Amino acid sequence: DGGITQSPKYLFRKEGQNVTLSCEQNLNHDAMYWYRQDPGQGLRLIYYSQIVNDFQKGDIAEGYSVSREKKESFPLTVTSAQKNPTAFYLCASSTVASVSYNSPLHFGNGTRLTVT
Amino acid sequence: QKEVEQNSGPLSVPEGAIASLNCTYSDRGSQSFFWYRQYSGKSPELIMFIYSNGDKEDGRFTAQLNKASQYVSLLIRDSQPSDSATYLCAVNIRIYNQGGKLIFGQGTELSVKP
C-alpha cells in the first residue's frame, strides 16, 4: 500500500536534547512538507522540499532542521534551540508544488512529541 | 492580515441541516484551494480541492471559489453527527524566488447535534 509513514507515533524527550522525527513516503511524490500543530490551532509550516537536495524554510523554521537526501525521506530534527517543541508534528507529500499550484497533500499519521 | 483566515467556531448545526464553512485568503494569485477534515487526535484528510472559480460538488460536499473576492467556502448538506470535526482550509501562497507553499487556516470546529 502506498502512503506516508511517520515514526514514532509518540516521542518523549528531556529538554536540551535533539530529536529526529522520521518521515518516509512510497508515493513517488516530489514535494514533502513538515507542519506543526498545537492544541486548538491550525497547521503551521516548518520546512518544505520540492526536490531532492533542496528545501525551504516555512513560517516557523527556527529551532528545526531537515534534510532531503532521498526522494522518499524527509526527516525533521527538533533541536534544543526550539523553545516550545511539544506539539503534534505532521509530515505530508504531494505530486506537484510549483509557484502557483499545489496538488493535494497526503498526510502521515503524525508524531506527538512531548518534551519535559 | 493573516494569509489564510477561518472562523474558529465552534459552528453548531442540527442533524440534517446545511453547514457552511468559510475561508478568506490574502494572495490574489493563489490557484490551489483545499478543504481538509481533521478528527481529534488524527491527521487531516482531504475532503475537496478546487482550482477554478465556481462550484464543485462531491456527494454531500460543495466547494465554492470566488477569486475576485478571495474566498473559498465548503457546504455540507444533510449534516451528520459523524461530520463533527475541525475543517481546515488550505491555500497555495506564492513566495518570491521560493515557489509556492501551502498555508492552512486555523480551522473551524463543526459540531452536528443529533
Side-chain angles (χ1 to χ4, degrees):
Chain A
D1 282 337
I4 300 177
T5 301
Q6 287 188 247
S7 60
K9 187 174 180 179
Y10 297 96
L11 191 53
F12 298 88
R13 280 293 183 269
K14 295 290 187 186
E15 196 173 311
Q17 293 179 332
N18 291 356
V19 60
T20 297
L21 281 58
S22 170
C23 178
E24 302 279 332
Q25 55 102 354
N26 60 5
L27 299 167
N28 199 32
H29 286 174
D30 288 314
M32 296 188 74
Y33 310 78
W34 275 104
Y35 289 90
R36 167 183 172 142
Q37 187 173 37
D38 295 283
Q41 298 192 31
L43 279 62
R44 291 186 290 167
L45 182 63
I46 305 173
Y47 269 98
Y48 62 110
S49 168
Q50 294 170 319
I51 195 170
V52 174
N53 291 323
D54 189 39
F55 47 83
Q56 285 79 41
K57 292 181 179 179
D59 297 319
I60 55 165
E62 186 176 348
Y64 299 98
S65 65
V66 294
S67 63
R68 187 87 188 275
E69 297 176 1
K70 299 186 300 181
K71 187 175 184 178
E72 302 79 20
S73 179
F74 192 42
L76 173 75
T77 296
V78 184
T79 75
S80 56
Q82 168 49 231
K83 290 184 173 25
N84 296 296
T86 295
F88 186 43
Y89 290 87
L90 286 158
C91 179
S93 69
S94 68
T95 55
V96 175
S98 65
V99 172
S100 299
Y101 172 73
N102 278 89
S103 56
L105 295 185
H106 296 254
F107 283 91
N109 287 330
T111 292
R112 199 166 295 277
L113 173 65
T114 302
V115 176
T116 57
Chain B
Q1 182 191 2
K2 288 184 181 177
E3 293 169 309
V4 180
E5 287 201 71
Q6 296 179 254
N7 290 327
S8 59
L11 173 66
S12 183
V13 300
E15 184 174 355
I18 296 175
S20 177
L21 305 160
N22 299 312
C23 173
T24 58
Y25 59 93
S26 61
D27 183 0
R28 199 169 271 284
S30 293
Q31 302 288 337
S32 314
F33 308 87
F34 306 87
W35 283 100
Y36 286 84
R37 177 176 63 198
Q38 186 177 27
Y39 292 112
S40 181
K42 303 295 185 182
S43 60
E45 53 181 329
L46 181 70
I47 298 292
M48 300 226 17
F49 60 90
I50 185 167
Y51 301 140
S52 304
N53 265 336
D55 294 1
K56 180 181 178 183
E57 190 173 315
D58 184 1
R60 296 186 297 111
F61 299 96
T62 299
Q64 299 176 315
L65 175 60
N66 184 324
K67 289 185 179 180
S69 300
Q70 293 175 243
Y71 83 77
V72 56
S73 61
L74 179 71
L75 301 178
I76 307 174
R77 290 182 299 281
D78 188 24
S79 295
Q80 301 297 309
S82 58
D83 294 326
S84 298
T86 296
Y87 289 80
L88 301 167
C89 169
V91 179
N92 175 279
I93 301 294
R94 297 168 303 167
I95 306 298
Y96 176 73
N97 236 15
Q98 292 183 14
K101 58 181 182 179
L102 204 59
I103 299 298
F104 284 78
Q106 69 268 39
T108 298
E109 183 184 349
L110 173 66
S111 176
V112 181
K113 303 294 187 186

